[in-house]
C-alpha cells in the first residue's frame, strides 16, 4: 500500500468499498482523461490567456463573429424549441398509441445519433435545395430553405431530434396511470389532466432534453455547412468561422471564438447537470 | 367501436381514462409520423436514391475507386484504434466510479461527459493548438520527427476525443445499478480482482458494454467536424469516409458522394438495428431480474 | 473459534460499533439481534472482512485475522439478497469458489462436479443445477447461496438476514432446516436478524444489539426470561408497561402494591413495571392487588385470545388468554375488570434515576 501514490491511497482509505483495484482503475481513468480531454482543452484557455484583452475582444466579438453567434445561438434556440414540442408529441404517440410499423419508428428516432453528420448534411441539402423533393414544392411559394438561415435551423432540428424524445419517453412510460385516473375521478377533463398533471410531470425531462438539443445544435458543424450556404454575416455558423480562421492560419482568432463557444458549452453542461439533479430529487421525493 | 380505428390503443392502455378519442389519436399519430417522415425517413431515402441516380455501375465504381477505398481503410483504422482504447478506459472508469464512493465522483462523471458538450470543430482545434506549427507541443513532436497533424495520428486523436465518453457513460449507471453484492460474494469465495472483473462484473453488463461499443464505433466512423480540422484533406492519405464524401460533394460529383455516403448510412442502419436488438435484450434481462 | 475484541467502527462520525467483544465457540450458532442501525450487519461484515474495523481485533481460532483480506479468510458468507451470480447456472454458482482456487489446490473438473453435486444434494436442490437464479423461488435461492458458501469448506459461516426476504411459511421451514443442517455439519456460525422469534428459535446464543453496543448476550432462555434492560424487554416481543413509584422495596402504583426486595435501599423513585401479555390474569375489578382496567377490543388469534384494555391512567394494555379461559370469562366491551400480573419485571426510570441500565432490573413475583 505504501508504494501507491498518496492521492489514491488517501481515497482508498476513505472509500468504504472493499473490492480490489480502485487505485489502478482511478489512476488510469484520471491519466487518460487528462491526456485525451483535459490537457488539450486547457490549451484553448492557455492560448486565450496569452492574448491581450483588447485583441481577444476584437477577435471574439468582431461583427462577423457576432453575426455567427447570432445564427448559431438563435438557430439552436429555434431548433430546440421545435424539437421540444415535436419531441413530446412523438414520445406521447410512441408511449400511448399502437400503430403499424411502430417498432421501426421507435428505432428510427435515434437515426440522427447514428447517421454521420456529413451524410445528413448532403441528404438534407438534396431534399431542400430549390430543385430537391421538398425545395421544389416550396420554391413556388417563395420559400427558400437550403442556403439560407432557415436551412441551418432544419439541420439543427435533425441533429437535436432524438434528445427530447429520449428524455421524455421513459418518464411518460413510468408515469403512474393511477395519478391520471385519480385526476379523472376528481372531475378533471382530458385537457386539464394533460396541462395540470402530465405536463408538470414531464417538464423536467422536457427541459433537460431541450437543453441537450440546444447544446448539440450550438456546436453542430457537419450537417449544417452543406445546407447553410455559408454566406459571411448571413448563414455562417460559429464553428464554421473557427475553421475559416484556422485555414487562414489565424489561430488566435479561431481560439478566441472557440473559447466563447466553450464557455457557453460549459454553462450548458452545468445547466443540464442541475436539471438532472432536479429531476432526480423530484423523482425521489 | 375502437376496432374500426386504424390506430388501436396499446394493450397497456385499456384503461378508459387514459384513452384519447379516436380522432385525437389519429391526428396526433399523423402529426408525429409526418414530422419524423420529413426529418428522418426522407433524408435516408434521399441518400440511397441519389446514390443510385446514375445507375448501379456508377455506384459501384465510386466505391471501388482507390481514393474511396483508402478512405474506407483509414476510417476502419481510426475506429479500430479508438474503440478498444475507449473500451478499456470505459471499463476502468466505470469500475472506479460505480463500485466505489469517493469525493469528487460527481465531478469526474461530468468531466468524462465533457467531450459531448464540446463542438466537434473545437475538438479538432485543441489538437491543432497542441501540435500545429505554433503549437506548444510542436517542438517536441518535431524533434522526434513525429507528424501528428494532417496525418493519421491526428485523426486518431480527434476520434478518441469525440468518442471518449460512450462506453464509460453506458457502463457507469449499469454497473452502479448492479451493486457490489455479487463482486463481494465472489471475493468471499476467493476470487482475485481480475477474476471478479472478467467472470462476474463484465458478464453482467455485457449487453450494455456492447451497446456502448456500438455507439462508440458509429461515432468513430462517422465523425466529421473534428477529423475535418486535423486531417488536412489529403486524398488517399488522410481522408476518412465522411471527408471523402465532402470532397466529392464539393466537386459536384453528387452521385459518387452519395454512393460513399450510402455506405455510412448503411452502417447507421445496422447500428440502429443492433441497438434495438440490444435494447430488447437488456429490457428482457432487466425485467427478469427485478 | 471467533474472537471479537473491542471492535469499533465509525461511519462519518457516527459510531456504528462501540468497542464490542464476543467469543464464538467452535460449533456454536450465534444470532446478532437488533433493530436496523444497531450495528449488527456492520459487525458481521467486519468478521467477514467486507468492512474494515476502525479499532479492535478479529481472530479466527486464535490467529489474528484483522488485516486479512476477505478473499483469504476462508469464511462462508450468505448475503441478505443472496448475491447469486445471475449469469451463471446454479451449478456454476456453487462451483465458482472451487474454480477460482489457485491452480495448485484447484480440484479437477470431475472432482468439482462431484463436490458440487454433493452440496446441491445436501441442500435438496440437486435437480435444479441447470437453472439460472432468476428461475428459482426465494427459498431455492437461499439454498443455492448456502451451498455456494459451503463449497469453499469455510471455517466459519456468516449469514446476513438469512430469512429476511422470504415469505412467512418458507421462512419457518427454512430456519428449522438450517438449524438441523448446522448441527449435522458442526459449523461455527453467526447470523444477523431483526426477528426475535428467529433468533430465539435458531441460535445457541443470542446477542441483542442496540446503537452499536451489546445490550445482552445469553442463551435464548436467558434472554427471554431475564432481560437486563427495558430495551431488551421491549425488543423481545409485546410488553405492557405500568408506571409506579418504588419505595423501600415496594412497587406502588394505581391499585397495586408489590414487594420488590431488590430495591430495599431506594427511598422514592419512578419505576416501570414490565409485564408480558401472557403473564397477565384477568379477575374481577377491585379485587386485592389488581389494576383496574376497561375492556376494549377483543381478537381471536387461533389458539389464543387477545384482549385490549385501557388502564387507570389511560395506558393501552394487552392480555393474552387461552381460548378456554377467554370463553370462561365472557368479557364484554366497556366492562371494568381487574388485571393481575403473574410475573413482572421492575426497572427504575432511567431518565429520573440516571443509573446504568443493566443494573436496575429485578423480577417481581406477585401473589395473586
Amino acid at each position: 500500500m505504501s508504494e501507491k501514490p498518496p492521492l489514491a491511497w488517501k481515497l482508498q482509505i476513505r472509500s468504504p468499498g472493499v473490492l480490489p483495484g480502485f487505485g489502478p482503475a482511478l489512476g488510469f481513468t484520471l491519466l487518460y482523461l487528462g491526456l485525451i480531454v483535459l490537457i488539450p482543452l486547457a490549451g484553448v484557455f492557455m492560448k486565450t490567456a496569452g492574448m491581450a484583452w483588447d485583441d481577444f475582444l476584437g477577435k471574439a466579438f468582431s461583427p462577423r463573429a457576432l453575426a455567427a453567434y447570432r445564427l448559431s445561438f438563435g438557430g439552436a434556440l429555434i431548433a430546440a424549441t421545435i424539437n421540444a414540442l415535436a419531441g413530446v408529441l412523438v414520445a406521447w404517440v410512441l408511449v400511448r398509441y399502437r400503430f403499424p410499423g411502430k417498432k421501426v419508428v421507435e428505432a428510427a428516432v435515434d437515426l440522427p445519433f447514428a447517421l454521420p453528420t456529413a451524410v445528413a448534411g448532403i441528404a438534407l441539402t438534396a431534399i431542400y435545395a430549390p430543385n430537391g423533393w421538398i425545395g421544389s414544392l416550396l420554391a413556388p411559394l417563395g420559400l427558400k430553405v437550403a442556403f439560407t438561415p432557415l436551412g441551418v435551423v432544419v439541420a439543427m432540428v435533425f441533429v437535436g431530434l432524438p434528445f427530447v424524445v429520449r428524455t421524455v419517453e421513459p418518464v411518460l412510460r413510468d408515469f403512474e396511470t393511477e395519478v391520471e385516473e385519480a385526476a379523472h375521478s376528481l372531475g378533471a377533463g382530458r385537457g386539464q389532466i394533460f396541462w395540470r398533471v402530465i405536463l408538470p410531470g414531464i417538464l423536467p425531462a422536457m427541459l433537460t432534453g431541450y437543453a441537450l438539443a440546444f447544446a448539440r445544435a450550438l456546436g453542430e458543424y457537419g450537417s449544417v455547412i452543406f445546407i447553410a450556404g455559408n454566406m459571411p454575416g448571413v448563414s455562417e455558423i460559429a464553428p464554421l468561422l473557427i475553421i475559416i480562421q484556422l485555414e487562414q492560419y489565424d489561430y488566435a482568432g479561431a481560439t478566441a471564438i472557440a473559447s466563447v463557444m466553450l464557455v457557453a458549452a460549459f454553462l450548458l453542461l452545468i445547466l443540464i447537470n442541475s436539471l438532472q439533479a432536479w429531476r432526480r430529487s423530484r423523482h425521489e421525493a | 367501436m375502437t376496432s374500426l380505428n386504424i390506430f388501436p390503443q396499446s394493450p397497456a392502455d385499456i384503461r378508459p381514462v387514459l384513452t384519447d378519442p379516436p380522432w385525437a389519436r389519429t391526428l396526433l399519430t399523423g402529426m408525429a409520423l409526418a414530422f419524423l417522415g420529413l426529418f428522418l425517413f426522407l433524408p435516408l431515402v434521399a441518400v440511397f436514391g441519389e446514390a443510385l441516380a446514375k445507375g448501379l455501375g456508377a455506384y459501384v465504381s465510386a466505391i471501388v475507386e482507390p481514393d474511396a477505398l483508402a478512405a474506407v481503410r483509414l476510417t476502419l483504422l481510426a475506429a479500430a484504434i479508438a474503440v478498444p482504447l475507449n473500451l478499456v478506459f470505459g471499463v476502468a472508469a466505470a469500475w472506479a466510479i460505480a463500485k466505489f464512493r469517493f469525493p469528487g465522483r460527481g465531478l469526474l462523471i461530468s468531466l468524462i461527459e465533457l467531450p459531448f458538450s464540446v463542438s466537434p470543430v473545437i475538438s479538432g482545434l485543441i489538437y491543432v493548438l497542441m501540435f500545429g506549427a505554433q503549437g506548444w507541443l510542436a517542438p517536441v513532436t518535431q524533434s522526434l520527427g513525429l507528424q501528428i497533424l494532417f496525418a493519421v495520428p491526428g485523426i486518431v486523436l480527434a476520434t478518441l476525443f469525440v468518442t471518449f465518453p460512450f462506453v464509460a457513460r453506458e457502463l457507469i449507471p449499469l454497473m452502479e445499478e448492479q451493486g457490489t453484492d455479487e463482486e463481494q460474494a465472489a471475493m468471499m469465495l476467493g476470487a482475485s480482482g481480475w477474476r471478479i472483473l472478467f467472470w462476474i462484473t463484465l458478464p453482467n453488463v455485457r449487453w450494455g458494454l456492447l451497446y456502448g461499443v456500438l455507439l462508440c464505433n458509429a461515432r468513430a466512423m462517422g465523425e466529421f467536424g473534428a477529423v475535418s480540422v486535423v486531417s488536412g484533406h489529403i486524398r488517399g492519405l488522410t481522408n476518412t469516409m465522411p471527408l471523402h464524401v465532402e470532397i466529392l460533394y464539393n466537386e459536384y460529383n453528387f452521385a459518387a458522394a452519395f454512393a460513399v455516403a450510402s455506405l455510412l448510412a448503411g452502417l447507421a442502419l445496422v447500428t440502429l438495428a443492433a441497438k434495438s436488438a440490444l435494447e430488447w435484450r437488456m429490457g428482457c434481462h432487466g425485467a427478469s431480474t427485478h | 473459534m471467533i474472537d471479537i475484541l473491542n471492535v469499533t467502527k465509525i461511519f462519518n462520525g457516527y459510531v456504528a460499533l462501540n468497542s464490542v467483544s464476543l467469543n464464538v465457540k467452535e460449533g456454536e450458532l450465534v444470532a446478532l439481534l437488533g433493530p436496523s442501525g444497531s450495528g449488527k450487519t456492520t459487525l458481521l461484515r467486519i468478521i467477514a472482512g467486507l468492512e474494515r474495523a476502525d479499532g479492535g481485533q478479529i481472530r479466527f481460532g486464535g490467529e489474528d485475522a484483522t488485516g486479512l483480506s476477505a478473499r483469504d479468510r476462508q469464511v462462508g458468507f450468505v448475503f441478505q439478497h443472496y448475491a447469486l451470480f445471475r449469469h451463471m447456472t446454479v451449478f456454476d454458482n456453487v462451483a465458482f469458489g472451487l474454480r477460482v482456487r489457485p491452480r495448485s489446490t484447484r480440484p479437477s473438473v470431475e472432482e468439482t462436479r462431484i463436490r458440487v453435486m454433493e452440496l446441491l444434494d445436501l441442500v435438496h436442490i440437486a435437480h435444479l443445477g441447470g437453472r439460472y437464479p432468476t428461475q428459482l423461488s426465494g427459498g431455492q435461492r437461499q439454498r443455492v447461496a448456502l451451498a455456494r458458501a459451503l463449497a469453499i469448506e469455510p471455517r466459519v459461516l456468516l449469514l446476513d438476514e438469512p430469512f429476511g426476504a422470504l415469505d412467512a411459511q418458507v421462512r419457518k421451514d427454512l430456519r428449522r432446516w438450517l438449524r438441523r443442517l448446522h448441527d449435522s455439519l458442526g459449523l461455527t456460525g453467526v447470523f444477523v436478524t431483526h426477528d426475535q422469534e428467529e433468533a430465539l428459535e435458531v441460535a445457541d446464543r443470542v446477542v441483542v444489539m442496540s446503537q452499536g453496543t451489546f445490550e445482552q448476550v445469553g442463551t435464548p432462555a436467558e434472554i427471554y426470561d431475564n432481560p437486563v434492560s427495558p430495551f431488551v424487554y421491549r425488543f423481545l416481543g409485546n410488553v405492557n408497561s405500568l408506571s409506579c413509584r418504588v419505595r423501600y422495596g415496594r412497587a406502588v402504583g394505581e391499585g397495586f402494591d408489590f414487594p420488590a426486595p431488590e430495591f430495599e435501599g431506594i427511598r422514592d423513585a419512578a419505576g416501570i413495571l414490565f409485564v408480558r401479555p401472557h403473564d397477565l390474569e384477568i379477575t374481577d375489578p377491585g379485587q386485592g392487588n389488581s389494576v383496574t382496567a376497561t375492556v376494549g377490543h377483543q381478537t381471536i388469534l387461533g389458539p389464543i385470545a387477545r384482549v385490549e384494555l385501557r388502564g387507570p391512567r389511560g395506558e393501552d394494555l394487552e392480555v393474552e388468554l387461552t381460548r378456554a379461559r377467554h370463553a370462561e370469562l365472557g368479557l364484554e366491551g366497556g366492562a371494568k375488570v381487574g388485571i393481575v400480573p403473574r410475573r413482572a419485571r421492575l426497572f427504575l426510570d432511567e431518565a429520573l434515576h440516571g443509573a446504568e441500565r443493566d443494573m436496575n432490573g429485578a423480577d417481581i413475583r406477585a401473589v395473586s
Side-chain angles (χ1 to χ4, degrees):
Chain A
M1 229 189 227
S2 53
E3 302 106 342
K4 277 177 192 151
L7 179 71
W9 181 77
K10 208 172 145 194
L11 293 172
Q12 197 169 32
I13 288 300
R14 279 196 200 171
S15 73
V18 281
L19 297 176
F22 176 68
L26 185 68
F28 178 71
T29 302
L30 293 177
L31 179 76
Y32 191 75
L33 177 72
L35 285 181
I36 300 292
V37 177
L38 298 184
I39 293 173
L41 269 181
V44 174
F45 295 106
M46 275 164 50
K47 178 95 180 165
T48 311
M51 294 164 71
W53 182 241
D54 287 345
D55 192 28
F56 169 76
L57 285 184
K59 288 188 190 309
F61 299 105
S62 66
R64 189 175 174 185
L66 281 175
Y69 296 142
R70 212 173 296 129
L71 180 62
S72 277
F73 283 88
L77 204 64
I78 296 169
T81 307
I82 294 172
N83 273 328
L85 299 176
V88 170
L89 173 70
V90 171
W92 180 268
V93 168
L94 284 177
V95 171
R96 291 296 174 100
Y97 306 150
R98 205 167 54 173
F99 51 89
K102 181 174 158 174
K103 283 229 161 65
V104 177
V105 174
E106 179 77 52
V109 168
D110 283 332
L111 184 70
F113 286 159
L115 195 68
T117 53
V119 178
I122 61 170
L124 288 171
T125 312
I127 296 168
Y128 289 98
N131 59 352
W133 295 343
I134 294 180
S136 61
L137 297 178
L138 296 176
L141 307 172
L143 206 58
K144 264 192 88 198
V145 177
F147 318 124
T148 68
L150 200 56
V152 175
V153 172
V154 166
M156 286 176 168
V157 168
F158 175 83
V159 296
L161 193 149
F163 288 101
V164 178
V165 182
R166 287 300 179 230
T167 49
V168 170
E169 213 185 344
V171 181
L172 211 50
R173 187 159 282 141
D174 292 346
F175 208 82
E176 285 174 64
T177 45
E178 282 85 359
V179 175
E180 275 171 77
E181 288 174 329
H184 180 79
S185 72
L186 292 170
R190 202 71 199 118
Q192 283 173 310
I193 291 177
F194 183 81
W195 287 106
R196 289 168 178 269
V197 179
I198 298 173
L199 195 63
I202 61 173
L203 194 66
M206 191 177 155
L207 287 177
T208 307
Y210 183 93
L212 285 168
F214 179 82
R216 174 71 206 263
L218 187 63
E220 180 54 23
Y221 173 72
S223 57
V224 175
I225 51 153
F226 293 99
I227 201 170
N230 307 328
M231 296 252 300
V234 179
S235 57
E236 184 180 69
I237 54 169
L240 177 65
L241 192 54
I242 295 175
I243 289 210
I244 290 173
Q245 311 270 33
L246 271 183
E247 279 169 359
Q248 294 165 353
Y249 299 102
D250 183 0
Y251 284 19
T255 311
I257 296 168
S259 62
V260 171
M261 298 295 284
L262 265 184
V263 168
F266 291 159
L267 290 178
L268 276 168
L269 189 67
I270 293 170
L271 175 74
I272 291 164
N273 277 346
S274 23
L275 274 172
Q276 273 163 344
W278 180 46
R279 277 173 71 187
R280 269 195 295 275
S281 70
R282 281 196 39 169
H283 195 70
E284 280 156 17
Chain B
M1 268 197 305
T2 47
S3 61
L4 291 175
N5 198 288
I6 57 158
F7 301 127
Q9 316 137 225
S10 74
D13 301 349
I14 39 178
R15 305 180 178 205
V17 174
L18 311 173
T19 312
D20 296 322
W23 65 266
R25 286 210 297 274
T26 312
L27 180 72
L28 292 177
T29 310
M31 280 166 62
L33 291 182
F35 175 76
L36 294 178
L38 205 61
F39 280 95
L40 295 182
F41 288 96
L42 218 49
L44 206 55
V45 173
V47 172
F48 291 102
E50 296 280 339
L52 294 166
K54 295 241 171 83
L56 200 61
Y59 179 82
V60 173
S61 64
I63 288 170
V64 297
E65 184 242 349
D67 287 348
L69 287 180
V72 172
R73 266 197 300 277
L74 183 57
T75 294
L76 292 176
L77 176 71
I81 297 172
V83 175
L85 277 176
N86 283 335
L87 171 65
V88 171
F89 161 74
V91 171
W95 181 262
I97 291 171
K99 300 292 181 190
F100 299 87
R101 291 284 171 280
F102 54 93
R105 206 171 145 267
L107 178 69
L108 187 56
I109 297 175
S110 297
L111 288 178
I112 287 174
E113 297 210 353
L114 199 55
F116 278 160
S117 343
V118 173
S119 172
V121 169
I122 297 175
S123 313
L125 171 76
I126 58 179
Y127 293 106
V128 174
L129 293 181
M130 273 175 93
F131 300 110
Q134 310 157 12
W136 52 280
L137 274 184
V140 180
T141 51
Q142 271 162 15
S143 68
L144 292 171
L146 281 175
Q147 178 72 21
I148 307 273
L149 224 48
F150 313 128
V152 175
I155 289 170
V156 171
L157 276 176
T159 308
L160 269 179
F161 183 94
V162 295
T163 60
F164 182 83
F166 279 101
V167 178
R169 101 195 202 113
E170 209 54 60
L171 285 186
I172 290 169
L174 204 58
M175 277 168 60
E176 213 175 322
E177 191 193 308
Q178 310 252 335
T180 56
D181 272 8
E182 287 184 46
E183 281 81 4
Q184 289 182 9
M187 198 166 75
M188 294 301 311
L189 295 169
S192 68
W194 291 113
R195 267 275 160 69
I196 297 174
L197 181 67
F198 284 109
W199 285 26
I200 307 296
T201 308
L202 292 183
N204 266 335
V205 296
R206 60 195 186 280
W207 301 121
L209 187 82
L210 205 56
Y211 190 93
V213 166
L214 198 70
L215 296 183
C216 185
N217 180 63
R219 182 70 195 265
M221 291 191 171
E223 179 51 28
F224 176 70
V227 171
S228 169
V229 175
V230 294
S231 129
H233 304 268
I234 308 165
R235 271 194 166 191
L237 281 180
T238 64
N239 259 356
T240 61
M241 287 167 78
L243 297 178
H244 192 60
V245 170
E246 184 197 19
I247 290 181
L248 292 172
Y249 189 85
N250 287 343
E251 288 167 349
Y252 302 103
N253 193 351
F254 293 141
F258 278 101
V260 178
S262 74
L263 291 182
L264 290 167
L267 172 76
L269 290 179
V270 170
T271 302
L272 284 184
K275 187 170 173 291
S276 298
L278 278 179
E279 270 162 6
W280 181 78
R281 279 224 74 133
M282 285 197 284
C284 279
H285 199 75
S288 64
T289 50
H290 290 291
Chain C
M1 179 64 208
I2 313 172
D3 286 301
I4 299 160
L5 298 170
N6 303 318
V7 166
T8 297
K9 177 74 185 179
I10 297 163
F11 287 120
N12 303 323
Y14 167 75
V15 182
L17 282 176
N18 191 1
S19 187
V20 294
S21 299
L22 179 73
N23 170 267
V24 181
K25 290 188 268 301
E26 184 93 46
E28 196 180 25
L29 185 55
V30 170
L32 302 177
L33 173 68
S36 55
S38 59
K40 55 191 193 304
T41 296
T42 306
L43 179 58
L44 192 78
R45 291 174 62 86
I46 286 174
I47 301 173
L50 291 172
E51 210 89 63
R52 265 181 285 263
D54 293 314
Q57 235 185 25
I58 298 289
R59 287 191 191 161
F60 290 132
E63 294 166 47
D64 185 9
T66 316
L68 217 56
S69 143
R71 212 189 137 193
D72 305 319
R73 288 196 185 194
Q74 226 190 319
V75 162
F77 197 99
V78 176
F79 287 79
Q80 186 177 3
H81 301 289
Y82 319 130
L84 297 179
F85 307 133
R86 66 196 98 173
H87 63 286
M88 293 184 193
T89 60
V90 167
F91 184 95
D92 291 334
N93 262 279
V94 178
F96 185 88
L98 301 172
R99 289 176 177 161
V100 298
R101 282 194 189 166
R103 204 171 291 276
S104 53
T105 60
R106 194 186 304 162
S108 72
V109 175
E110 184 54 22
E111 283 163 359
T112 304
R113 197 189 63 78
I114 292 169
R115 179 88 189 104
V116 172
M117 288 320 289
E118 278 172 12
L119 283 161
L120 291 179
D121 231 20
L122 182 72
V123 299
H124 307 302
I125 47 167
H127 57 296
L128 299 175
R131 298 256 191 108
Y132 284 91
T134 48
Q135 300 165 322
L136 302 178
S137 72
Q140 290 168 336
R141 287 182 204 183
Q142 172 66 275
R143 286 160 192 260
V144 178
L146 199 61
R148 187 179 68 177
L150 292 174
I152 58 165
E153 289 160 29
R155 298 188 282 182
V156 169
L157 186 64
L158 305 176
L159 305 103
D160 186 6
E161 295 274 2
F163 312 108
L166 300 171
D167 301 336
Q169 190 51 47
V170 183
R171 214 174 160 126
K172 265 208 165 106
D173 294 346
L174 214 54
R175 71 189 185 214
R176 281 182 196 148
W177 170 78
L178 175 72
R179 179 67 235 191
R180 282 201 301 273
L181 188 73
H182 176 267
D183 291 342
S184 64
L185 295 176
L187 277 165
T188 307
V190 179
F191 72 99
V192 154
T193 180
H194 63 265
D195 181 340
Q196 40 99 13
E197 212 181 309
E198 199 169 290
L200 297 179
E201 183 178 335
V202 181
D204 295 315
R205 264 200 305 161
V206 177
V207 178
V208 184
M209 294 185 67
S210 160
Q211 296 172 5
T213 57
F214 290 171
E215 285 280 330
Q216 189 171 3
V217 182
T219 64
E222 281 166 13
I223 298 266
Y224 192 78
D225 295 338
N226 296 304
V228 297
S229 66
F231 173 84
V232 179
Y233 219 119
R234 285 203 186 94
F235 199 73
L236 291 181
N238 287 341
V239 68
N240 295 299
S241 50
L242 294 163
S243 46
C244 61
R245 303 296 303 180
V246 181
R247 293 187 187 126
Y248 301 110
R250 298 199 75 79
V252 184
E254 201 103 5
F256 62 87
D257 183 353
F258 295 124
E262 285 89 342
F263 296 97
E264 197 70 64
I266 307 275
R267 222 167 358 139
D268 186 20
I272 300 174
L273 208 56
F274 284 90
V275 195
R276 297 259 180 236
H278 54 78
D279 283 334
L280 278 173
E281 179 59 65
I282 295 188
T283 64
D284 293 332
Q287 213 190 42
N289 220 346
S290 72
V291 180
T292 307
T294 314
V295 176
H297 190 66
Q298 304 178 51
T299 325
I300 305 297
L301 293 164
I304 60 155
R306 177 180 295 161
V307 182
E308 289 169 21
L309 303 120
R310 175 137 303 194
R313 293 181 192 175
E315 59 267 65
D316 288 321
L317 300 171
E318 202 179 283
V319 178
E320 276 173 16
L321 304 164
T322 62
R323 289 285 293 280
R325 176 72 185 139
H326 182 248
E328 192 186 325
L329 282 167
L331 297 171
E332 276 178 40
K336 293 271 182 205
V337 294
I339 50 173
V340 182
R342 274 191 294 264
R343 196 163 173 279
R345 199 169 171 85
L346 177 65
F347 292 96
L348 294 187
D349 197 322
E350 315 126 26
L352 294 172
H353 194 264
E356 283 293 311
R357 271 188 284 191
D358 50 355
M359 294 298 291
N360 60 5
D363 263 346
I364 301 263
R365 287 198 184 266
V367 259
S368 54

